[in-house]
Amino acid sequence: MDVKGFADALLTGLATADLFESVALQTEGPIASARATVSGAEDLFLRVYFNESTGTTAFALIKDQRRIWGVDFDNQRGWHLHPHDDPTEHRSIAPLSIQEIVRLLTEVLSNP
């Protein structure tokens, strides 16, 4: 996937979730990064990073400056989940689309 495709899929996925009051998206060359503020929660946001050149993808739900959940892909660990019950853990998972990641995020936000 290229940066444009990632950005389009990310904005579409976040819009369909109806959980965010704002999304700031930046692209520069092969990199896309975003910050999406969760509606009604000043200290809770989603940080997203994508690097087209390496395929690195990171979704991190942040509360009080700490990751409380996440889904990542990197060339060392492959696809993995940082579960809500222990966000320091790396659980191997099958590859996920942005829409699937947003669905998992919706479940996490629905069951605090």
Side-chain angles (χ1 to χ4, degrees):
M1 179 179 299
D2 64 8
V3 168
K4 182 182 180 330
F6 181 86
D8 288 347
L10 177 65
L11 292 174
T12 299
L14 295 177
T16 60
D18 197 31
L19 296 170
F20 303 97
E21 59 189 46
S22 66
V23 178
L25 173 68
Q26 289 185 294
T27 61
E28 185 173 332
I31 308 276
S33 61
R35 178 183 169 125
T37 306
V38 177
S39 297
E42 289 182 27
D43 63 343
L44 188 62
F45 64 92
L46 178 67
R47 171 77 66 196
V48 181
Y49 173 85
F50 174 72
N51 184 318
E52 176 183 330
S53 299
T54 64
T56 300
T57 304
F59 285 74
L61 186 60
I62 309 292
K63 181 176 177 142
D64 297 326
Q65 304 302 315
R66 299 179 67 127
R67 177 176 50 201
I68 62 169
W69 176 89
V71 170
D72 299 333
F73 171 82
D74 62 51
N75 290 321
Q76 292 180 348
R77 292 188 178 104
W79 282 96
H80 57 279
L81 171 71
H82 298 274
H84 190 253
D85 60 344
D86 183 3
T88 63
E89 187 179 346
H90 296 82
R91 290 185 192 163
S92 293
I93 58 173
L96 297 173
S97 68
I98 292 173
Q99 195 68 21
E100 291 167 322
I101 294 169
V102 171
R103 183 185 51 76
L104 289 175
L105 174 62
T106 301
E107 291 173 11
V108 168
L109 290 172
S110 298
N111 300 305

